[in-house]
Amino acid sequence: MPQSILIVGCGCAGPTLATFLLLAPGSDPTMLPHITIIERTPALLSAGQNIDVRGTGMEIIRKLGLEDKVRSSTTGEEGVLIVDDKNEAWAINAADKTGKVQTGTSDCEILRGTLAAVLHQRSQQVSDDVRRQGGQGIEYIFGDSIDALEQQGDTVNVRFANSGKHRNFDIVVGADGLQSRTRRLAFGSEGDNDRLKLLNAYAAFFSMPAAPSDSLWRRWWHGPNRRSAMIRPSGDSRKSTALMIVVSEVDQRLKDVAGHGAKTTEQQKALLREYFSHGEWECDRLCREMDQADDFYYDMVAQVKLATWHKGRVVLLGDAGYCASPFSGMGTTLALNGAYNLAGALAQSPNDVDAAFQAYEKSMRPLVEKAQKLPPGMPGLLHLKSNWGVWVLRCILRAFFLSKIAVLFAMFFGPPANVVKITEYGFKKPEGKLR
């Protein structure tokens, strides 16, 4: 009997895992797993924050036959400008377009929603091919989630939150992000705070209409009271994206309103206005556009650390199991590597789930451990309390990027996107290009 697999989350990791599971080498299509992907949002997100694909992440994109499609959908970001209140650049950190040196801007910058849509489209295409050959392919469920999970022997029984339906699966994969409900259901909610390594940083993302000051360069402004903000290209000349960051160990309100989604949106925005609406740089513009944005998102910045990523027949993937934080520059690359290695492990041990999960963890641990080692002092070193501290920071960054030290630093402390080679599992190559 084909396995039944539930994947919770239809971001970048979930569809990638599903696609590779259906491309297992030498498999009879009728014996390939029946995969269900459940996503709490009513539809795929159309935009989402700026993310990057690096090193082995791009190798996996190539294995899916998607490199041309992904590279043609990038934001075109040229690099980072460190700017002051007058919008004057103090330092320039250009992207390395070869992909050999991992700078702040990768050679492949893309919106999360854009990449997720491409990966979802490929999963649909592969699923349709499998169904034409007699297999079951992928079932997509949008606008629902799971709110209960019980393991009984070789079966996981889950309850869908909105429909109230109970269904049994052989394997459940939690690919539902930093605040993973699957992780809490399987590993216990009472200890979940211990699994989150807080970085005392809080961030908000949204998109907004482009202004004449916006360009293909990311502009990063730093202000006193440990704040910073970025304005970045989106790939659409009419739209830019914004990121607002506050670092604090003492303002409990920042933490209290995190992780609750739309329930605390107004409190989140009010806090950000309190921190940013002081007439500096373009912060008034950011506060004004934040109130109008329909894709506003706020959360804590944290890492997820667990001794094991599976419990019984439930396994965690991507940020749900080993979030390295946006400061790592490795989130998407980890998700793609995780999906690829989990699919490979399950293909090699289809009748021994525990062995497959152990192999998955063994293959991913070295990369995760390297990715979670952030550059020294992050994020506090770049978010200072006083005006004097911010001025010194700009001076240091100017000297840093004018010298060759920046290149050496990137080589030793940049995102470790190429340090762990990917394993060859012999997956079939998907046929056909995406439109």
Side-chain angles (χ1 to χ4, degrees):
M1 278 249 339
Q3 286 181 323
S4 60
I5 299 176
L6 174 66
I7 300 173
V8 184
C10 194
C12 295
T16 301
L17 171 62
T19 301
F20 279 120
L21 286 171
L22 296 184
L23 294 173
S27 297
D28 176 353
T30 63
M31 295 306 294
L32 288 169
H34 176 212
I35 302 165
T36 301
I37 299 180
I38 188 168
E39 168 59 42
R40 63 180 178 80
T41 60
L44 286 176
L45 295 176
S46 59
Q49 68 267 36
N50 301 58
I51 59 175
D52 38 43
V53 182
R54 301 176 184 267
T56 52
M58 185 53 70
E59 288 187 52
I60 293 164
I61 291 294
R62 291 189 192 104
K63 289 181 178 296
L64 293 170
L66 295 174
E67 183 175 13
D68 290 345
K69 179 69 173 178
V70 168
R71 290 197 182 278
S72 67
S73 305
T74 60
T75 66
E77 184 171 296
E78 292 289 343
V80 185
L81 302 177
I82 304 298
V83 300
D84 61 15
D85 286 4
K86 297 179 181 178
N87 206 40
E88 293 179 358
W90 283 62
I92 300 174
N93 185 20
D96 179 72
K97 296 299 181 72
T98 68
K100 295 179 180 178
V101 179
Q102 299 300 328
T103 63
T105 296
S106 79
D107 62 313
C108 182
E109 297 281 343
I110 190 170
L111 296 187
R112 179 184 180 275
T114 302
L115 180 60
V118 170
L119 294 169
H120 175 255
Q121 190 178 352
R122 175 60 89 198
S123 73
Q124 285 184 307
Q125 184 187 59
V126 171
S127 175
D128 290 343
D129 290 343
V130 167
R131 283 178 172 170
R132 280 192 288 269
Q133 299 173 67
Q136 298 187 69
I138 305 170
E139 170 193 11
Y140 306 90
I141 300 174
F142 286 92
D144 209 341
S145 60
I146 64 170
D147 64 359
L149 180 155
E150 183 180 1
Q151 301 201 52
Q152 299 174 331
D154 294 339
T155 299
V156 186
N157 179 267
V158 303
R159 184 178 68 201
F160 290 178
N162 292 345
S163 67
K165 292 181 180 178
H166 286 259
R167 287 178 59 178
N168 292 327
F169 296 92
D170 298 312
I171 295 171
V172 172
V173 181
D176 45 347
L178 174 69
Q179 302 281 1
S180 170
R181 180 183 287 181
T182 309
R183 183 180 67 236
R184 295 194 298 272
L185 290 173
F187 289 78
S189 58
E190 65 282 351
D192 205 54
N193 288 338
D194 296 332
R195 302 175 194 121
L196 293 175
K197 179 188 176 184
L198 304 184
L199 299 179
N200 299 314
Y202 304 85
F205 167 88
F206 54 93
S207 57
M208 61 186 183
S213 55
D214 301 343
S215 71
L216 290 178
W217 287 83
R218 181 197 327 185
R219 292 181 293 142
W220 193 358
W221 170 86
H222 297 79
N225 200 20
R226 309 186 73 183
R227 301 164 297 142
S228 75
M230 299 180 194
I231 297 177
R232 307 180 68 174
S234 70
D236 181 344
S237 60
R238 300 165 298 178
K239 184 173 71 172
S240 296
T241 64
L243 184 69
M244 303 163 77
I245 302 170
V246 179
V247 175
S248 176
E249 298 90 0
V250 296
D251 192 342
Q252 183 65 29
R253 299 174 302 166
L254 292 162
K255 182 180 178 181
D256 290 343
V257 300
H260 300 292
K263 295 178 182 177
T264 53
T265 295
E266 289 310 312
Q267 295 98 308
Q268 294 164 1
K269 291 182 177 180
L271 265 176
L272 290 169
R273 281 193 295 271
E274 181 179 321
Y275 272 93
F276 284 91
S277 60
H278 305 298
E280 305 151 302
W281 186 51
E282 298 189 18
C283 292
D284 285 347
R285 172 195 173 197
L286 294 178
C287 290
R288 183 174 63 252
E289 297 295 351
M290 172 182 70
D291 285 334
Q292 303 298 319
D294 59 5
D295 59 354
F296 174 85
Y297 177 80
Y298 170 97
D299 204 350
M300 66 180 67
V301 179
Q303 295 184 333
V304 177
K305 295 197 173 186
L306 290 90
T308 180
W309 301 322
H310 72 279
K311 190 167 186 179
R313 287 180 167 255
V314 179
V315 63
L316 302 176
L317 172 62
D319 281 356
Y322 35 84
C323 178
S325 90
F327 294 121
S328 73
M330 285 289 291
T332 307
T333 297
L334 282 179
L336 294 171
N337 274 267
Y340 174 81
N341 281 301
L342 179 55
L346 287 168
Q348 290 185 338
S349 301
N351 300 316
D352 191 339
V353 171
D354 188 65
F357 289 168
Q358 295 284 359
Y360 159 62
E361 296 204 15
K362 183 178 180 181
S363 65
M364 284 297 296
R365 279 289 171 189
L367 181 59
V368 169
E369 288 178 358
K370 291 179 183 296
Q372 290 189 332
K373 290 181 180 178
L374 299 180
M378 289 293 285
L381 191 63
L382 294 178
H383 295 84
L384 302 174
K385 184 70 176 176
S386 66
N387 281 302
W388 168 252
V390 172
W391 181 83
V392 171
L393 172 65
R394 289 173 180 149
C395 291
I396 292 173
L397 290 175
R398 171 177 280 178
F400 184 71
F401 289 118
L402 283 174
S403 69
K404 293 184 179 180
I405 297 174
V407 176
L408 292 173
F409 186 89
M411 292 174 66
F412 286 100
F413 296 107
N418 295 299
V419 295
V420 178
K421 302 302 180 185
I422 63 174
T423 303
E424 291 299 331
Y425 295 108
F427 289 116
K428 299 174 185 175
K429 290 185 177 180
E431 298 178 2
K433 290 188 174 182
L434 298 186
R435 293 191 297 274

